[in-house]
Amino acid sequence: MEDLCLMAGFLAPYFDNDGTLVCRAAPTLSTATPDVIYLDGSRIIDGSVIESDDLLTAPNIYLAVDTSGTNGEVTGTFAVPASAPHSFANRGFYVVGEPVFQQGLENTAAAQAAAQAAYNQDSATYRWLSFSTPIDPRHDTFDVVEVDGENFREQSWTMQLTHGGRHDHALRGIY
């Protein structure tokens, strides 16, 4: 099922908080409507914010290759935008993300969509943000979370299931 989702440019399938199987298109974070919004000084626990980046090692080009062999060679690439700090234009070298080898990519457009989906869901993205809040059950896998006007993808979260427990968030940002 994960292979079919990748072929369609979707995020990996997952079960949401209600136990429903979810297959959805990989959102473009810069234009996606956030599922949850946090403003500085609101619900974020003071002193819990950690920002980091992988400027030198973050992938800046993604490759998808059809492995069925029925349509000749079908490949597609997706390069991060030139405005991104880790782009080829800004670094001068390529770092290839995990290649996608997939059956059923019928044409270059399908391969490019698979490469872009790999970029949209890559956990090795350029920018990372983590913070803690009081427990907030609204969160789900791959949610788009806005923090101070910038969209991130919720990569993972954990909750301390006790009174007054903390909800720790690990977010990834892409360009």
Side-chain angles (χ1 to χ4, degrees):
M1 188 147 178
E2 187 171 341
D3 289 344
L4 291 173
C5 285
L6 184 60
M7 245 187 334
F10 279 45
L11 294 167
Y14 63 94
F15 290 94
D16 67 9
N17 291 338
D18 297 323
T20 303
L21 180 64
V22 176
C23 298
R24 65 178 176 159
T28 302
L29 285 183
S30 61
T31 59
T33 301
D35 299 298
V36 182
I37 298 173
Y38 288 103
L39 301 172
D40 192 27
S42 60
R43 296 179 49 84
I44 297 174
I45 295 173
D46 195 29
S48 70
V49 177
I50 299 172
E51 293 184 66
S52 61
D53 66 60
D54 266 338
L55 182 61
L56 295 177
T57 60
N60 57 10
I61 192 162
Y62 294 80
L63 171 69
V65 179
D66 177 59
T67 58
S68 63
T70 58
N71 298 325
E73 184 176 304
V74 176
T75 62
T77 60
F78 178 81
V80 302
S83 60
H86 62 298
S87 69
F88 177 82
N90 286 320
R91 290 197 306 200
F93 59 91
Y94 286 110
V95 176
V96 180
E98 184 70 32
V100 175
F101 297 102
Q102 179 69 47
Q103 290 184 353
L105 299 174
E106 295 184 8
N107 53 42
T108 301
Q112 287 172 332
Q116 184 170 2
Y119 163 70
N120 284 340
Q121 60 184 320
D122 190 358
S123 62
T125 54
Y126 163 68
R127 188 157 177 232
W128 303 5
L129 177 67
S130 61
F131 59 89
S132 298
T133 64
I135 292 177
D136 185 348
R138 297 178 295 167
H139 287 268
D140 208 347
T141 306
F142 298 133
D143 273 352
V144 176
V145 178
E146 180 183 313
V147 179
D148 290 333
E150 188 174 348
N151 284 352
F152 292 86
R153 181 188 63 241
E154 183 99 41
Q155 189 66 28
S156 64
W157 53 263
T158 59
M159 284 191 265
Q160 296 172 333
L161 298 178
T162 61
H163 177 72
R166 291 170 60 125
H167 189 161
D168 298 317
H169 307 268
L171 309 178
R172 299 295 183 257
I174 61 175
Y175 277 80

